[in-house]
Amino acid sequence: MDYTVQHWGQAQAEKYIRGLHTHLQRLADRQLPWHALPQTLAVPQDLDIPVYFSRYEKHILFFRELSNGIGIMMILHQSMDMPVRLAEDLTKLEAQN
């Protein structure tokens, strides 16, 4: 948010965050499509936890289904190295299960 405030101002940053929260709520309510993470991107390859993603403007949101909604795993800007970040986070997630 600091980046947005510095480049586009406080009002735009707040608008973006409100829109992001609305998007997340719509995902949780299944009002938006869930896209399954292709197994070829899952690390380790035998990960037995379904992971989904959705795009919100210039960010990709990665999440999984929980018994009471969705659990946000990470939100990455489209310019980030997603395969590396996914590998790190999915490996941690598998270790917890």
Side-chain angles (χ1 to χ4, degrees), residues 48-64:
D48 194 28
I49 302 167
V51 176
Y52 303 93
F53 69 95
S54 178
R55 176 181 291 275
Y56 174 72
E57 296 195 17
K58 298 199 180 247
H59 286 87
I60 310 298
L61 297 70
F62 296 91
F63 60 97
R64 61 187 181 135

Side-chain angles (χ1 to χ4, degrees), residues 35-74:
H35 304 286
L37 182 68
Q39 193 60 33
T40 56
L41 294 179
V43 177
Q45 293 283 328
D46 61 346
L47 183 70
D48 194 28
I49 302 167
V51 176
Y52 303 93
F53 69 95
S54 178
R55 176 181 291 275
Y56 174 72
E57 296 195 17
K58 298 199 180 247
H59 286 87
I60 310 298
L61 297 70
F62 296 91
F63 60 97
R64 61 187 181 135
E65 186 170 19
L66 303 175
S67 60
N68 61 345
I70 61 173
I72 305 305
M73 297 171 53
M74 71 184 95

Side-chain angles (χ1 to χ4, degrees), residues 2 5 22 49 52 70-72 90-91 93:
D2 291 339
V5 170
T22 298
I49 302 167
Y52 303 93
I70 61 173
I72 305 305
L90 291 175
T91 300
L93 180 63

Side-chain angles (χ1 to χ4, degrees), residues 9 17 32 38 50 53 66 86:
I17 293 297
L32 294 174
F53 69 95
L66 303 175
L86 279 170

